Amino acid sequence: MATKQSRSAARLMMAPAVFLLLVWMLVPLAMTLWFSFRKFLPLRGGDLGFVGFDNYVRFISSSSFWPSVQTTLIVVGSVLLITLVLGVLLALLLDQPIWGQGIVRILVIAPFFVMPTVSALVWKNIFMDPVNGLFAHLWKFFGAEPVQWLSQASLPSIVMIVSWQWLPFATLILLTAIQSLDSEQLEAAEMDGAPVLRRFWHIIVPHLSRAITIVILIQTIFLLAVFAEIFVTTGGAFGTKTLTYLIYQRVLESQNVGLGSAGGVYAIILANILALFLMRIVGKNLDA
Amino acid sequence: MGRITLQQVAKSFGTTEVIPPLDLEVNDGEFVVFVGPSGCGKSTLLRLIAGLEDVSGGTILIDGEDVSNTPPAKRGLAMVFQSYALYPHMSVRKNIAFPLKMAGVAKADIKKKVENAAQVLNLTEYLDRRPGQLSGGQRQRVAIGRSIVREPEAFLFDEPLSNLDAALRGNMRLEISELHQSLKTTMVYVTHDQVEAMTMADKIVVLQKGVIEQVGSPLDLYRNPANLFVAGFIGSPAMNFASGATAQEFDATTIGFRPEHLKLSPEGGDWTGTVGVSEHLGSDTFVHVDIEGVGKVTARADGDISLGYGDTVFLTPDRARVHRFDVHGLALR
Ligand SMILES: Nc1ncnc2c1ncn2[C@@H]1O[C@H](COP(=O)(O)OP(=O)(O)OP(=O)(O)O)[C@@H](O)[C@H]1O
Ligand SMILES: [Mg+2]
């Protein structure tokens, strides 16, 4: 876009999209802020006027607040760790010329196309059911007592389900990154006397750093909002209540829109703290 | 020491034989150039020596020791790749230090060796840059630096200059030759550019379709090409060929005569021809002439000759320097 005309034409043509996006983003945000300062109980009197910072104080002083933040961070952190480690390994594997490569790749990507509610239900009923689940049968086969997955190991179960969902995404991004690595670099390193593991650390991992950063940033955004997997499995019980889930409970189960909105604002703040933190650590990988 | 011996070395990819069994001897301290057209197996041969490909048959000896099944790192060779293959996330300093670090050399020694190499290659001011911030020639020097710090038995170069522009290529050619003079290490150099081969080599190996057509010193190949392929490949501009009655006169199926061995005259000579395009290089002029009964030939003339398009000229080949070839394209002596 070199000339003045083409630049202003471009602005004009982009305007509707920008406007739509702004409205899309700003209206809900403004409404959340608005309601967070009001006492709004839809089934018990409706909008009861301004209450100042009352909702904020009540939300943060609730005994469920800090545990829910902790749960959120645990879910985000563990899923990131699992998907990245397994994703790198799977990507390395899929990069090898193996028999039936096309089918294997499709199989690996498949979980990403399954809706979160569906995949959570599949895990809950087919794998984790303490009586009829595949895991229960496996445990019994080895003579062990079946684990009551969703009550005894609730958080790890959620992490497992969500990781399964996001592993394909991480694998896919990392695979494309690995495929873009110049094979001569690996050969040069081999000539330079670097054995397999050191080639991995000194050549492959640095090459993947940008892709890893992308995976971390994108997944964090989505993992902060994990909801369906919890809703259809534990329903927030057994210490699986994330911040998102707590807000849902406040708004819909307790029918307190004001309190939930205040929670929403806290969620925005948490997301921004996390984003700031991540950009500090991994953001530098993006410029080059 | 860096004597490399190939005995009946062959390579196939699946069912396609890229290199039929061949023998070759590279002596210690020699600068050997593999030259041949694209796809003739030069890189493959070099990668076999490096150990980046497994041989399909035969043995590779380095200093008399069988290394056919030795991993690349243990062969004591260093390679410079066509794409340079520098590590983009490491500074120049770290790139050059990498092989030393892998070999477990002490930090202080690494520093000294890297700085020495940088000095030799004029890279001192770029040590803290990333490869992405260097020019093509500088990257090339970093790649060479990375290979010299290891003090290998032999250097392997795979078309190291093909990504550079003509002027820089000329400079780097000199630098590599000078490096060879000062290090006296064996160098095996792959190129498809016969000028590089002629100017740098102690010994040229001409390859075609994986087969060695001829091995010899540059002047040897220039003066006594063993067959039509070598005759046409070595020398610039390429040798002229003629067959039929003209060749019969010399008792051969085909004759070859170099542009520089043709005498051009406006008055008289053996052959009469019509001048086509003249290429003026300043020092020389290459005149393309269409000779009746012989065909289109190139002749080298003085820089200040002036011939117009369509003029008639007379040409006389230097009879002592006419190359004669038989039905199979082999040289007759
Ligand atoms: N991995 C491979 N699998 C199958 N065929 C290959 C493989 N590598 C090379 N070849 C074939 O081997 C032949 C020689 O290839 P090579 O790379 O050695 O050519 P080259 O002489 O280096 O050519 P260039 O000057 O273009 O680099 C080519 O015909 C090529 O198609
Ligand atoms: Mg090649």
Side-chain angles (χ1 to χ4, degrees):
Chain A
M1 277 178 257
T3 64
K4 243 180 207 163
Q5 284 102 319
S6 62
R7 242 185 322 237
S8 53
R11 268 198 214 120
L12 203 70
M13 282 188 255
M14 278 189 326
V18 172
F19 178 72
L20 209 69
L21 274 175
L22 272 181
V23 171
W24 203 265
M25 203 182 77
L26 285 181
V27 170
L29 183 66
M31 282 175 71
T32 306
L33 280 173
W34 169 258
F35 283 127
S36 70
F37 290 107
R38 297 183 76 86
K39 189 175 173 121
F40 188 9
L41 309 166
L43 295 185
R44 285 166 287 155
D47 199 341
L48 301 175
F50 278 105
V51 288
F53 281 91
D54 208 27
N55 286 325
Y56 287 91
V57 175
R58 275 183 58 198
F59 195 89
I60 206 168
S61 56
S62 144
S63 63
S64 328
F65 178 73
W66 288 111
S68 77
V69 171
Q70 196 188 353
T71 309
T72 308
L73 293 180
I74 289 175
V75 170
V76 172
S78 339
V79 174
L80 277 180
L81 192 72
I82 292 172
T83 51
L84 278 176
V85 171
L86 292 184
V88 169
L89 294 180
L90 261 177
L92 282 174
L93 188 71
L94 290 180
D95 189 40
Q96 306 297 317
I98 47 171
W99 189 80
Q101 201 168 39
I103 291 181
V104 172
R105 282 189 189 167
I106 290 175
L107 284 180
V108 168
I109 297 162
F112 203 48
F113 295 113
V114 180
M115 284 171 278
T117 28
V118 175
S119 76
L121 281 173
V122 166
W123 274 88
K124 180 185 176 185
N125 295 318
I126 295 184
F127 291 104
M128 293 173 167
D129 190 281
V131 181
N132 291 317
L134 286 177
F135 287 160
H137 284 298
L138 194 71
W139 256 246
K140 272 184 253 171
F141 179 79
F142 287 106
E145 184 71 17
V147 180
Q148 310 263 337
W149 284 98
L150 291 170
S151 48
Q152 288 173 350
S154 48
L155 202 53
S157 302
I158 300 279
V159 167
M160 194 146 76
I161 296 171
V162 179
S163 301
W164 182 79
Q165 282 229 296
W166 282 93
L167 184 56
F169 174 76
T171 307
L172 212 60
I173 301 262
L174 294 167
L175 178 63
T176 53
I178 283 184
Q179 283 172 336
S180 74
L181 176 59
D182 178 10
S183 64
E184 283 196 347
Q185 262 181 49
L186 287 176
E187 286 176 346
E190 195 179 347
M191 297 282 306
D192 283 344
V196 180
L197 271 183
R198 301 184 96 176
R199 286 208 289 279
F200 178 73
W201 275 120
H202 292 288
I203 313 294
I204 296 180
V205 171
H207 177 77
L208 289 183
S209 62
R210 198 180 293 198
I212 291 176
T213 309
I214 303 266
V215 170
I216 290 179
L217 293 179
I218 293 183
Q219 284 201 21
T220 304
I221 296 170
F222 284 94
L223 292 177
L224 280 171
V226 161
F227 176 78
E229 291 86 341
I230 302 171
F231 183 73
V232 301
T233 53
T234 60
F238 311 114
T240 58
K241 202 182 293 169
T242 58
L243 192 53
T244 315
Y245 204 87
L246 183 66
I247 294 167
Y248 158 77
Q249 284 187 331
R250 290 289 182 263
V251 175
L252 279 155
E253 287 178 9
S254 336
Q255 286 291 328
N256 191 337
V257 174
L259 194 58
S261 298
V265 175
Y266 280 124
I268 295 170
I269 295 171
L270 177 72
N272 277 294
I273 293 175
L274 220 57
L276 215 72
F277 201 60
L278 286 176
M279 286 312 276
R280 274 282 162 79
I281 308 173
V282 294
K284 66 174 188 302
N285 287 333
L286 286 181
D287 35 76
Chain B
M1 284 288 284
R3 203 177 79 246
I4 303 169
T5 315
L6 308 187
Q7 292 173 343
Q8 292 296 301
V9 167
K11 177 68 187 175
S12 312
F13 289 108
T15 52
T16 44
E17 189 178 54
V18 174
I19 295 178
L22 59 77
D23 294 299
L24 183 69
E25 178 87 30
V26 176
N27 292 317
D28 185 34
E30 214 168 26
F31 196 120
V32 175
V33 174
F34 294 170
V35 67
S38 185
C40 69
K42 308 176 296 280
S43 299
T44 308
L45 196 55
L46 198 71
R47 291 165 59 83
L48 286 173
I49 297 175
L52 294 171
E53 302 277 0
D54 294 322
V55 291
S56 308
T59 44
I60 297 173
L61 308 174
I62 296 178
D63 293 331
E65 203 180 314
D66 185 356
V67 295
S68 310
N69 296 312
T70 312
K74 301 259 159 62
R75 296 192 184 189
L77 307 174
M79 183 147 165
V80 176
F81 292 82
Q82 180 173 356
S83 67
Y84 316 136
L86 299 178
Y87 311 127
H89 52 275
M90 297 183 200
S91 63
V92 169
R93 183 189 300 279
K94 287 204 172 134
N95 261 284
I96 299 179
F98 189 74
L100 298 174
K101 194 172 149 196
M102 289 301 116
V105 177
K107 277 236 166 69
D109 287 348
I110 292 184
K111 192 169 152 57
K112 213 166 66 198
K113 285 188 178 179
V114 169
E115 266 153 26
N116 269 340
Q119 186 92 50
V120 173
L121 294 162
N122 280 325
L123 285 170
T124 311
E125 31 178 329
Y126 307 113
L127 273 178
D128 294 312
R129 290 212 200 160
R130 295 270 179 102
Q133 301 162 322
L134 298 178
S135 72
Q138 290 161 348
R139 281 181 217 182
Q140 187 59 67
R141 282 203 285 268
V142 176
I144 294 173
R146 192 173 64 185
S147 63
I148 60 174
V149 286
R150 289 174 56 202
E151 295 165 14
E153 304 284 336
F155 292 98
L156 310 176
F157 293 92
D158 190 355
E159 307 206 17
L161 307 186
S162 58
N163 290 343
L164 306 179
D165 68 55
L168 198 53
R169 209 179 306 161
N171 280 341
M172 288 302 296
R173 217 158 64 200
L174 276 179
E175 280 185 35
I176 293 177
S177 292
E178 249 156 44
L179 195 68
H180 179 241
Q181 292 303 330
S182 63
L183 295 176
K184 303 252 182 284
T185 312
T186 312
M187 291 188 177
V188 181
Y189 187 105
V190 163
T191 178
H192 59 253
D193 180 357
Q194 59 93 28
V195 176
E196 271 173 38
M198 291 297 281
T199 51
M200 300 169 85
D202 293 324
K203 183 155 97 187
I204 298 181
V205 177
V206 184
L207 288 163
Q208 189 196 13
K209 298 203 181 112
V211 178
I212 296 184
E213 295 285 348
Q214 192 173 1
V215 179
S217 73
L219 286 182
D220 202 21
L221 297 194
Y222 177 81
R223 288 190 188 126
N224 306 305
N227 52 41
L228 276 176
F229 178 77
V230 178
F233 198 79
I234 300 291
S236 166
M239 190 186 274
N240 301 300
F241 294 106
S243 49
T246 327
Q248 223 81 74
E249 237 177 88
F250 290 83
D251 282 334
T253 312
T254 312
I255 56 163
F257 41 95
R258 297 197 182 276
E260 50 271 41
H261 302 145
L262 272 176
K263 214 171 108 229
L264 223 92
S265 152
E267 281 97 37
D270 287 7
W271 297 326
T272 318
T274 318
V275 175
V277 173
S278 304
E279 295 174 293
H280 296 275
L281 300 182
S283 55
D284 304 303
T285 305
F286 296 119
V287 190
H288 298 264
V289 185
D290 194 356
I291 305 173
E292 211 167 314
V294 175
K296 287 196 159 99
V297 302
T298 313
R300 194 183 78 182
D302 274 353
D304 41 13
I305 196 166
S306 72
L307 284 168
Y309 194 92
D311 286 359
T312 301
V313 285
F314 299 92
L315 292 144
T316 314
D318 179 349
R319 298 210 161 232
R321 287 178 168 178
V322 168
H323 303 270
R324 305 181 310 127
F325 302 94
D326 67 11
V327 200
H328 308 292
L330 297 178
L332 293 162
R333 298 242 161 86

